[in-house]
């Protein structure tokens, strides 16, 4: 993509200045910590001691039924109790837990004690709606305090949450909602985006017509648009009404370590979205430990992760990680460039953000405006920066490092996935950095780059990224699809190793360079978008007979969609139809599916069994060799 020549230029250079954070860092010696992580059971058991357990585990890891690994067997614990209640009896009681800020400059500070009471009220309310332990509650909400409160309330009562990103639209929503069999859906009247209010409720109204399991819809009055009780249908209730008068105490459900915690849908290269299922104790241990190690979180940190809670980054590092560590988490609702491209730096200055975690696409976007904006503000509170979601090109890394970090804050380039639940490959703040490399597997993680047979490839040579030993926050299965779980991730290489779906290379210093996906999954502005979902959206348009889509390089978003369409008899590509197709795909999938180019073709390259060979389309697009075409139909 964007990286190659500069990668080579920078590969030799290791950044290891004397960052001020090194002095106070929780982990002082990178190599020694990696050494400790070699004994995974010992390492993770030690990390699990940081929590309050109702009952301790009997066995750290049970690997007798691979790939169904179990962690902290027979332990009893509650996540919300450890993220919130535990702090109430300490001096943290009145510390701000959630600092909510939006693009209109409005803010709301919620202390741990206030959060405790709000979560308890919602827990009682969900119980009254008949939600039992193990049942699913869906959420389609913007970045607002009620989303965090509702997720924690689910943990408290032992319900499983399924959050759908509010940037996904009707078609994508319906598919996810129906797979999760939720009885209750929590949503909002709208969200703020670049000076406008996006009407989420309208999307929900259309979508739920196709969601038979939903019995109750809870509506958060967030943007203050005038929804009146009388506007609501018989199964709808306002959030404020629902929690009104509920007691503000609640005895947390004692959850088994392996009880399901949440489902989060993500895209694969084929078929329906995958319901990635995470369980309780291992997830807690994994996210808290990695956030502590990678970003060196202390209790008085003001942590800001710009990821949306609708994705795994937000689950693990906007809400759960920071609250489990007892710091303050900044929740921002809005875009990086509205009302102007200085908004993020203005927030950093105003509140004194200490650790800041964002995505390469946002950095590339802000880079376009030059260093004027970061230079307008005092960013000296920042101690560590982070990047996630896709490979960060060295130009963006260096811009971030020089203009935002002023050459004093290390950048943690964290590689991980919805499935891994937690950071897997990343430096620690005391490590030597190379711009564009996620450096090495974290302590306790055993990653390797292998060839098709599963043998390690020589240094410098590209191969498949695999994880050789289990880790606590690993997903436990795909909801409703155990076979797919086994086939997609655990069958490809011998010995039940985890296939990540990325290509990578290890250099002579042992640094890992992630090269991008090995499958057809698209990465648009860091969001994972399934080719098959986009193709189905096209094919559901009346003019389209067949569709194939590939990722096309884009300087800001990393990739955008290029679609090859076979149109039905009597239809020809023109500007009207292109506009209509764009509208249609946006309606089905939402703004995440960014369309770059739509072309009409007479034929698509297929295998004899009828599978579209996107590889051929990609190679042609990039002007590369077509590779092995022996399975091509003609
Ligand atoms: C895919 C996972 C992890 C939370 C957000 C994305 C790519 C992620 C990096 C990175 C290079 C990265 C990979 C991975 N990716 N982080 N630091 N360097 N690539 O989660 O939506 O599940 O996507 O994102 O391709 O497989 P996700």
């Amino acid at each position: 993509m964007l990286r190659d020549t500069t990668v080579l230029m920078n590969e030799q250079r290791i950044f290891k200045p004397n960052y001020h954070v090194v002095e106070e860092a929780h982990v002082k010696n990178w190599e020694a910590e990696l050494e400790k992580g070699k004994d995974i059971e010992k390492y993770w058991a030690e990390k699990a001691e940081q929590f309050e357990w109702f009952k301790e585990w009997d066995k750290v890891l049970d690997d007798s039924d691979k790939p169904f690994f179990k962690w902290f067997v027979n332990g009893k614990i509650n996540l919300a109790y450890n993220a919130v209640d535990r702090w109430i009896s300490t001096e943290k009681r009145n510390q701000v837990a959630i600092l909510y800020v939006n693009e209109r400059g409005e803010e709301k500070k919620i202390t741990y004690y206030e959060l405790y009471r709000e979560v308890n009220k919602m827990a009682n309310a969900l119980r009254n709606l008949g939600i039992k332990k193990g049942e699913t509650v869906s959420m389609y909400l913007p970045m607002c305090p009620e989303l965090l409160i509702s997720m924690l309330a689910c943990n408290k009562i032992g319900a499983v949450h399924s959050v759908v990103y509010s940037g996904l639209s009707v078609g994508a929503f319906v598919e996810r909602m129906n797979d999760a069999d939720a009885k209750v859906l929590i949503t909002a009247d709208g969200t703020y985006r670049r000076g406008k209010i996006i009407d989420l409720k309208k999307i929900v109204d259309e979508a739920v017509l196709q969601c038979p399991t939903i019995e109750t819809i809870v509506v958060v009055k967030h943007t203050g648009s005038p929804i009146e009780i009388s506007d609501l249908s018989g199964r709808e209730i306002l959030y404020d009404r629902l929690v009104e008068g509920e007691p503000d105490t609640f005895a947390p459900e004692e959850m088994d370590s392996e009880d399901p915690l949440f489902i989060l849908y993500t895209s694969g290269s084929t078929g329906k979205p995958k319901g990635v299922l995470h369980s309780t104790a291992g997830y807690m241990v994994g996210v808290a430990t990695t956030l502590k190690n990678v970003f060196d979180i202390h209790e008085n940190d003001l942590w800001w992760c710009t990821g949306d809670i609708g994705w795994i980054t937000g689950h693990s590092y906007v809400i759960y990680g920071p609250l489990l560590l007892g710091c303050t988490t900044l929740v921002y609702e809005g875009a990086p460039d509205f009302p102007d491209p200085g908004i993020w730096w203005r927030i950093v200055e105003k509140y004194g953000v200490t650790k800041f975690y964002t995505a390469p696409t946002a950095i590339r976007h802000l880079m376009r405006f030059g260093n004027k904006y970061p230079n307008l503000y005092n960013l000296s509170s920042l101690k560590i920066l982070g990047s996630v979601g896709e490979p960060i090109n060295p130009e963006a890394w260096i811009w971030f490092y020089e203009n935002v970090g002023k050459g004093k804050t290390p950048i943690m380039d964290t590689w991980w996935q919805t499935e891994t639940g937690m950071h897997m490959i990343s430096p620690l703040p005391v490590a030597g950095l190379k711009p564009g490399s996620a450096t090495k597997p974290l302590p306790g993680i055993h990653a390797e780059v292998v060839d098709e047979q599963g043998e390690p490839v020589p240094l410098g040579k590209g191969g498949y990224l695999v994880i050789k030993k289990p880790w606590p926050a690993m997903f436990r299965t795909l909801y409703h699809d155990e076979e797919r779980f086994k086939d997609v991730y655990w069958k490809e290489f011998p010995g039940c190793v985890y296939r990540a779906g990325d290509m990578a290379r290890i250099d002579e210093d042992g640094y890992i360079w992630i090269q991008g996906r090995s499958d057809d999954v698209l990465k648009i502005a860091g969001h994972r978008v399934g080719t098959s979902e986009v193709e189905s959206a096209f094919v559901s348009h009346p003019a389209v007979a067949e569709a194939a889509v590939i990722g096309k390089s884009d300087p800001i978003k990393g990739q955008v969609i290029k679609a090859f369409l076979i149109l039905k008899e009597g239809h020809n590509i023109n500007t009207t139809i292109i506009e209509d197709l764009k509208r249609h795909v946006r309606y089905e999938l939402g703004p995440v599916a960014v369309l770059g180019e739509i072309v009409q073709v007479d034929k698509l390259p297929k295998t004899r069994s009828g599978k579209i060979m996107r590889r051929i389309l990609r190679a042609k697009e990039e002007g590369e060799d077509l590779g092995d075409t022996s399975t091509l139909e003609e």
Side-chain angles (χ1 to χ4, degrees), residues 126-187:
L126 288 175
R127 262 288 137 77
N128 293 343
L129 287 178
I131 300 295
K132 295 195 231 17
K133 184 174 166 183
E135 288 185 336
T136 311
V137 175
S138 283
M139 294 170 207
Y140 184 67
L141 284 165
M143 294 283 275
C144 63
E146 288 83 356
L147 172 55
L148 290 87
I149 293 166
S150 302
M151 290 165 80
L152 289 159
C154 283
N155 309 159
K156 210 144 204 194
I157 70 172
V160 179
H161 59 66
S162 169
V163 178
V164 176
Y165 173 54
S166 62
L168 291 175
S169 196
V170 178
F173 175 95
V174 169
E175 196 151 34
R176 286 159 177 78
M177 208 57 63
N178 285 340
D179 191 71
D181 325 299
K183 285 205 289 194
V184 171
L185 166 68
I186 308 173
T187 187

Side-chain angles (χ1 to χ4, degrees), residues 336-346 365-366 369 373-374 377:
D337 58 358
F338 185 87
D340 62 70
I343 178 67
W344 280 6
W345 319 130
R346 203 145 63 238
H365 178 63
L366 293 174
F369 304 97
Y373 287 102
Y377 302 96

Side-chain angles (χ1 to χ4, degrees), residues 31-313:
E31 302 294 335
E33 190 72 12
L34 290 174
E35 198 53 39
K36 262 171 63 183
K38 286 194 174 153
D39 183 344
I40 56 170
E41 293 194 35
K42 185 157 171 254
Y43 186 78
W44 293 113
E46 205 180 291
K47 301 298 178 190
E49 296 288 354
Q50 67 185 294
F51 296 126
E52 281 184 30
W53 294 76
F54 297 119
K55 176 183 167 291
E56 281 221 358
W57 58 94
D58 302 333
K59 196 172 187 319
V60 183
L61 172 66
D62 176 357
D63 59 2
S64 59
D65 182 23
K66 292 174 189 165
F68 301 99
F69 297 92
K70 294 190 179 77
W71 284 87
F72 308 109
V73 183
N74 293 329
K76 301 277 181 257
I77 197 163
N78 184 285
L79 193 163
Y81 176 85
N82 276 280
V84 186
D85 305 25
R86 181 163 59 119
W87 306 123
I88 299 311
S89 52
T90 71
E91 52 195 47
K92 208 188 292 296
R93 182 185 172 97
N94 298 322
Q95 181 186 318
V96 176
I98 298 170
L99 169 56
Y100 163 80
V101 184
N102 67 24
E103 63 174 34
R104 294 150 54 116
E106 295 160 346
E107 63 173 46
K108 194 169 181 186
K109 292 178 174 165
I110 302 174
T111 65
Y112 273 95
Y113 186 48
E114 286 164 340
L115 181 60
Y116 166 81
R117 287 180 307 193
E118 291 305 318
V119 170
N120 287 342
K121 284 189 194 170
M122 187 57 176
N124 282 306
L126 288 175
R127 262 288 137 77
N128 293 343
L129 287 178
I131 300 295
K132 295 195 231 17
K133 184 174 166 183
E135 288 185 336
T136 311
V137 175
S138 283
M139 294 170 207
Y140 184 67
L141 284 165
M143 294 283 275
C144 63
E146 288 83 356
L147 172 55
L148 290 87
I149 293 166
S150 302
M151 290 165 80
L152 289 159
C154 283
N155 309 159
K156 210 144 204 194
I157 70 172
V160 179
H161 59 66
S162 169
V163 178
V164 176
Y165 173 54
S166 62
L168 291 175
S169 196
V170 178
F173 175 95
V174 169
E175 196 151 34
R176 286 159 177 78
M177 208 57 63
N178 285 340
D179 191 71
D181 325 299
K183 285 205 289 194
V184 171
L185 166 68
I186 308 173
T187 187
D189 54 359
T191 179
Y192 302 109
R193 195 75 183 171
R194 293 200 168 86
K196 290 201 204 95
I197 291 178
I198 312 266
D199 189 345
L200 291 181
K201 183 64 172 40
K202 190 165 153 241
I203 297 175
V204 168
D205 287 345
E206 280 177 45
V208 292
L209 296 173
Q210 302 169 59
C211 301
T213 62
I214 307 275
E215 292 169 7
T216 309
I217 302 170
V218 180
V219 185
V220 176
K221 218 168 150 169
H222 177 60
T223 58
S225 55
I227 297 185
E228 296 306 330
I229 306 290
S230 54
D231 295 339
L232 301 178
S233 75
R235 60 176 173 173
E236 293 173 338
I237 179 165
L238 285 182
Y239 182 99
D240 287 344
R241 260 295 175 85
L242 180 76
V243 297
E244 196 181 314
E246 286 297 339
D248 61 7
T249 54
F250 188 94
E253 193 72 42
E254 293 193 10
M255 305 302 287
D256 186 88
S257 292
E258 282 298 329
D259 276 338
L261 184 66
F262 65 83
I263 306 167
L264 183 57
Y265 287 88
T266 189
S267 299
S269 44
T270 55
K272 296 188 309 176
K274 305 190 271 199
V276 170
L277 184 88
H278 281 281
S279 71
T280 308
Y283 178 78
M284 293 170 63
V285 173
V287 299
T289 304
T290 48
L291 185 61
K292 176 89 194 156
N293 284 350
V294 175
F295 287 96
D296 193 45
I297 295 294
H298 295 263
E299 300 193 1
N300 52 5
D301 266 314
L302 176 54
W303 162 254
W304 184 9
C305 165
T306 67
D308 194 283
I309 294 179
W311 305 103
I312 193 69
T313 308

Side-chain angles (χ1 to χ4, degrees), residues 266 311-313 357 387-392 413-420 425 438 500-502 514-517 523 526-528:
T266 189
W311 305 103
I312 193 69
T313 308
Y357 188 31
S387 168
V388 60
E390 60 180 309
I392 177 164
D413 177 1
T414 60
W415 176 89
W416 58 297
Q417 307 175 302
T418 308
E419 292 88 340
T420 70
I425 302 175
D502 280 300
I514 308 287
Q515 298 170 316
R517 301 284 310 182
K523 266 279 164 175
H527 297 147
R528 203 157 138 181

